[in-house]
Amino acid sequence: DIQMTQSPSTLSASVGDRVTITCRASQSISSWLAWYQQKPGKAPKFLIYKASSLESGVPSRFSGSGSGTEFTLTISSLQPDDFATYYCQQYDSHPLTFGGGTKVEIK
Amino acid sequence: QITLKESGPTLVKPTETLTLTCTFSGFSLSTRGVGVGWVRQPPGKALEWLAVIYWDDGKYYSPSLNRRLTITKDTSTNQVVLTMTNMDPADTATYYCVHRLVNYGMDVWGQGTTVTVSS
């Protein structure tokens, strides 16, 4: 199985900050990585696929990068609506696996 | 518009079998590249992928739960069913049904259904 490790597990930031979340795969997954945002009590929302492609309707302040084993999700200017937990997920091979999540909190 | 909705019991007893149904609309599970899967989330914990079934009837399971899970599809009724045997309190979670395309992420999620395992 491919293990996905996210860091940090919690991140405290202020509105307007640039935020970066890292996701590492235990082996190369090329660019087969997705990112999701989840708010309390809600289903996850699909943000990014193929490591850097923005899903339709997702604000352009979100961006993804990386390939192989190291990936990042960046929020260029944090907005109040962005405080949430973010998950990466690899789909290079089954079993599909998620990272442990990064909670973005208000500083 | 793609929608998915989970249904099933909210409370099951330890050792019982859980049966969850995902009823979907807006796509066909006969279309090449389409899959429907299940993801769960215990209270306060991370997402855990469980299983997926594809248009060609290909099925994949979480290795840690493989012996307890079965996923099936009925393209005539637009439903996918997940069964999990020998339920344990550790299986208490919100269970989500998801749509995915091969080489794409899980782009549409159901609202989730909460299952509690308790005697």
Side-chain angles (χ1 to χ4, degrees):
Chain A
D1 303 1
I2 299 174
Q3 310 303 318
M4 306 301 293
T5 304
Q6 284 183 239
S7 61
S9 55
T10 306
L11 186 160
S12 296
S14 302
V15 172
D17 284 353
R18 181 181 181 87
V19 166
T20 298
I21 298 168
T22 298
C23 177
R24 289 187 173 86
S26 60
Q27 64 190 70
S28 178
I29 57 170
S30 185
S31 295
W32 302 119
L33 184 96
W35 288 96
Y36 304 86
Q37 175 195 67
Q38 187 180 33
K39 296 181 179 178
K42 300 295 186 182
K45 176 186 175 183
F46 183 48
L47 297 178
I48 287 172
Y49 62 98
K50 210 171 179 184
S52 61
S53 297
L54 212 61
E55 172 70 345
S56 176
V58 174
S60 58
R61 63 181 180 273
F62 289 92
S63 64
S65 64
S67 65
T69 62
E70 188 151 339
F71 303 85
T72 58
L73 172 70
T74 299
I75 309 172
S76 60
S77 177
L78 198 64
Q79 299 302 300
D81 191 48
D82 302 337
F83 291 97
T85 300
Y86 294 84
Y87 293 92
C88 62
Q89 177 243 323
Q90 68 81 19
Y91 54 99
D92 176 77
S93 62
H94 297 89
L96 309 180
T97 43
F98 288 93
T102 296
K103 185 175 183 180
V104 178
E105 297 182 327
I106 299 173
K107 190 172 184 179
Chain B
Q1 179 192 5
I2 292 174
T3 64
L4 308 100
K5 188 170 185 179
E6 309 86 351
S7 59
T10 58
L11 179 66
V12 298
K13 292 181 168 55
T15 75
E16 287 187 339
T17 294
L18 171 68
T19 299
L20 293 174
T21 300
C22 175
T23 302
F24 58 85
S25 64
F27 67 97
S28 171
L29 200 37
S30 299
T31 301
R32 184 178 183 83
V34 174
V36 172
W38 290 89
V39 174
R40 74 177 179 180
Q41 185 172 39
K45 295 190 176 181
L47 301 171
E48 179 184 14
W49 179 80
L50 299 179
V52 65
I53 189 165
Y54 292 102
W55 80 99
D56 60 358
D57 210 37
K59 303 171 187 178
Y60 298 87
Y61 298 100
S62 165
S64 63
L65 295 168
N66 182 54
R67 287 183 294 179
R68 298 174 54 205
L69 294 175
T70 302
I71 190 168
T72 60
K73 64 181 173 69
D74 185 335
T75 53
S76 65
T77 59
N78 283 351
Q79 292 184 325
V80 169
V81 174
L82 181 76
T83 60
M84 181 180 293
T85 61
N86 194 25
M87 292 292 284
D88 181 271
D91 297 313
T92 294
T94 297
Y95 289 75
Y96 295 101
C97 176
V98 299
H99 168 271
R100 77 163 302 226
L101 297 171
V102 172
N103 296 338
Y104 201 59
M106 300 176 191
D107 59 338
V108 185
W109 294 61
Q111 65 188 23
T113 187
T114 300
V115 178
T116 301
V117 184
S118 175
S119 54

